[in-house]
């Protein structure tokens, strides 16, 4: 089935050690999103790619970066993870960015920072 | 700014019974969409139902239906004939129009639904 895949499902890193989370999609969607979801909270949008165009949210810390080398893949890089970055990271895709375009979510990567 | 408020952190329902989840929102947009997403434990978030703001008729998807009260800015979700598989976190979400036309979702804090046998 076409889907949004995130690897790994669980990631443990050390304080300050760079980490990369991966997302891939077989839907051939133009838009890919990264959300941060802390325990018992709503998902918070970090940034999104519309094709190759990167769109950062105003309140996303510089510590978070993203790469989209091709349509199928998108990466979330955390340059120097802090304890406060421990969270579930959700990747989502949509065909376009219009109001009617449904976002499809991956299962998430749970990041633990020691 | 757009806000979405879910005032019920947790709701419990017995199998085969009905539960209603509340959601209120605020937006200055005239064109917007409202959504309910379901996030089961350790599984991906999926869309349950959506409502277009300019449509007065309430959306229905099988056992899931909404009560959309535009003037009151209320968007509740009713789950009928609850099943064990309905146990999950449910998020209400809003996607705005003119100033947010690229499709950004604003989520509420979520309501945990517990289904008891």
């Amino acid at each position: 089935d076409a889907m949004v895949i995130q690897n790994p499902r669980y990631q443990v890193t050390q304080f300050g050690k760079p980490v990369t989370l991966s997302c891939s999609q077989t839907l051939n969607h133009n838009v890919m999103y990264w959300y941060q979801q802390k325990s018992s909270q709503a998902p918070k949008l970090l940034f999104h790619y519309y094709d190759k165009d990167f769109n950062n949210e105003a309140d996303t810390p510089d510590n978070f970066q993203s790469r989209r080398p091709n349509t199928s893949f998108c990466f979330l890089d955390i340059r120097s993870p802090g304890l406060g970055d421990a969270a579930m990271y959700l990747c989502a895709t949509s065909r376009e960015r219009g109001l009617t375009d449904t976002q499809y979510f991956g299962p998430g990567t749970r990041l633990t920072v020691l | 700014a757009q806000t979405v408020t879910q005032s019920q952190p947790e709701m419990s329902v017995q199998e085969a019974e009905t539960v209603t989840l509340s959601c209120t929102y605020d937006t200055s947009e005239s064109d917007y969409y409202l959504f309910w997403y379901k996030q089961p434990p350790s599984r991906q978030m999926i869309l349950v139902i959506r409502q277009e703001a300019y449509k007065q008729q309430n959306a229905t998807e099988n056992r899931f239906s909404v009560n959309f009260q535009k003037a009151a800015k209320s968007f509740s979700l009713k789950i009928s004939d609850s099943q064990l598989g309905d146990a999950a976190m449910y998020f209400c979400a809003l996607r705005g129009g003119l100033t947010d036309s690229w499709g950004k979702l604003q989520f509420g804090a979520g309501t945990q639904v517990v289904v008891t046998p």
Side-chain angles (χ1 to χ4, degrees), chain A residues 42 57 97 99-101 105, chain B residues 44 50 95-96 102 104 108:
Chain A
E57 291 299 298
R97 294 191 302 184
L99 294 183
T100 60
D101 289 292
F105 285 82
Chain B
Q44 64 205 84
R50 75 179 190 182
R95 183 188 295 163
W102 64 260
K104 178 178 178 179

Side-chain angles (χ1 to χ4, degrees), chain B residues 17-96:
Chain B
E17 298 296 311
T18 295
V19 64
T20 299
L21 311 183
S22 300
C23 173
T24 57
Y25 63 92
D26 194 19
T27 179
S28 57
E29 304 287 357
S30 57
D31 185 18
Y32 55 90
Y33 281 70
L34 293 158
F35 305 83
W36 280 99
Y37 278 87
K38 170 185 177 182
Q39 187 178 38
S42 301
R43 295 181 62 188
Q44 64 205 84
M45 194 176 313
I46 58 172
L47 178 66
V48 174
I49 197 167
R50 75 179 190 182
Q51 174 79 39
E52 299 162 71
Y54 62 86
K55 285 192 175 179
Q56 291 189 345
Q57 185 173 3
N58 289 323
T60 299
E61 288 288 343
N62 300 315
R63 298 181 295 106
F64 298 87
S65 61
V66 298
N67 183 6
F68 175 46
Q69 300 290 328
K70 190 171 183 178
K73 293 185 176 177
S74 170
F75 182 62
S76 61
L77 175 70
K78 184 170 80 172
I79 307 174
S80 303
D81 186 25
S82 297
Q83 302 175 359
L84 294 177
D86 294 333
M89 181 72 85
Y90 286 79
F91 290 98
C92 180
L94 166 70
R95 183 188 295 163

